Amino acid sequence: MARNASLKSSLKDYNRKRDFAKTAEPKGARAARTEGHRFVIQKHAASHLHYDFRLEVDGTLKSWAVPKGIPIRKGEKRLAVQVEDHPLSYIDFEGAIPKGQYGGGTVMVWDRGTFEPSSPSPAKDLAAGKLRFVLHGQKLEGEWHLVRMRGGKQWLLIKGGSDQEAISTKQDDTSALSWKTMDQLAGGDNVRKSRSALE
Ligand code: MN
């Protein structure tokens, strides 16, 4: 199929790791190159709770797993491990990945919005191992940096900017997409059943 033929190698890892007959995650297909600079932070209760930080760059989502969460005070640094690129359609994925599947566990769209890179080519900056950007999210607002550590997939996500920045104006722990909690997202049918039982 033409769509598969045009699939860039950057989404092969994503597709190889998943069984799309079993997970509701979107199948990876590269989108047309856009000028969009969206971001998403997905809270992911896999075997270890972590936050997946994803930036839209050149038609895919460049992705990092941040085990300790997004730093919110100026100068704070958190380890961010680069993982496989994800398809743009992953930007509004939330719900339960079945146990036993890659990344099995609950996913919540914890924050979403746009980012403003400090240079015209975030792709080049990432290739060079340094990207500075401002997030305009529903929860997060302000400047961060990503800096690659020597020779690998390990980066640091660093809070930059000023102390006066408004961070996390909405600190509740519900989805920025559906306002659901992790329990509700994990529950699926059970949540609906128990609710209707109460009605
Ligand atoms: Mn994850």
Side-chain angles (χ1 to χ4, degrees):
M1 287 193 292
R3 198 162 195 185
N4 286 337
S6 67
L7 191 68
K8 276 271 184 124
S9 60
S10 67
L11 286 171
K12 277 186 184 156
D13 282 350
Y14 173 90
N15 285 331
R16 186 173 42 76
K17 290 178 178 190
R18 291 168 175 79
D19 179 350
F20 295 100
K22 293 184 176 153
T23 179
E25 293 167 287
K27 195 160 185 206
R30 195 181 177 89
R33 192 165 285 212
T34 61
E35 294 304 311
H37 292 314
R38 291 176 292 168
F39 84 91
V40 66
I41 297 168
Q42 280 150 324
K43 184 175 182 176
H44 187 182
S47 50
H48 296 280
L49 180 72
H50 61 273
Y51 290 79
D52 289 304
F53 182 68
R54 310 188 199 280
L55 298 173
E56 177 181 5
V57 176
D58 282 356
T60 57
L61 294 174
K62 294 289 171 188
S63 298
W64 293 261
V66 187
K68 297 204 167 162
I70 309 304
I72 58 169
R73 284 184 196 83
K74 188 184 174 185
E76 266 182 351
K77 298 174 177 142
R78 296 279 164 82
L79 176 68
V81 181
Q82 191 169 10
V83 298
E84 76 274 17
D85 292 352
H86 279 48
L88 279 188
S89 49
Y90 210 90
I91 210 158
D92 51 14
F93 173 77
E94 63 180 12
I97 300 172
K99 268 192 185 143
Q101 295 303 300
Y102 181 71
T106 309
V107 176
M108 170 200 278
V109 172
W110 186 81
D111 199 11
R112 63 206 282 256
T114 59
F115 73 98
E116 240 178 89
S118 66
S119 87
S121 178
K124 269 188 199 160
D125 290 356
L126 285 174
K130 240 181 195 183
L131 178 67
R132 191 155 57 89
F133 52 89
V134 172
L135 294 183
H136 302 292
Q138 292 178 28
K139 292 177 182 160
L140 300 181
E141 182 76 40
E143 186 186 300
W144 279 262
H145 309 236
L146 271 167
V147 180
R148 187 167 54 210
M149 294 197 273
R150 218 145 52 98
K153 304 232 169 247
Q154 301 203 337
W155 295 62
L156 288 174
L157 179 61
I158 304 167
K159 181 70 190 75
S162 71
D163 290 328
Q164 278 75 43
E165 277 174 350
I167 306 278
S168 298
T169 49
K170 189 179 139 228
Q171 267 289 11
D172 65 279
D173 198 27
T174 59
S175 166
L177 188 66
S178 65
W179 293 276
K180 290 179 178 170
T181 63
M182 287 298 268
D183 281 351
Q184 287 171 326
L185 289 164
D189 285 338
N190 295 334
V191 173
R192 258 170 273 146
K193 272 178 205 149
S194 60
R195 274 193 182 155
S196 55
L198 293 172
E199 282 163 9

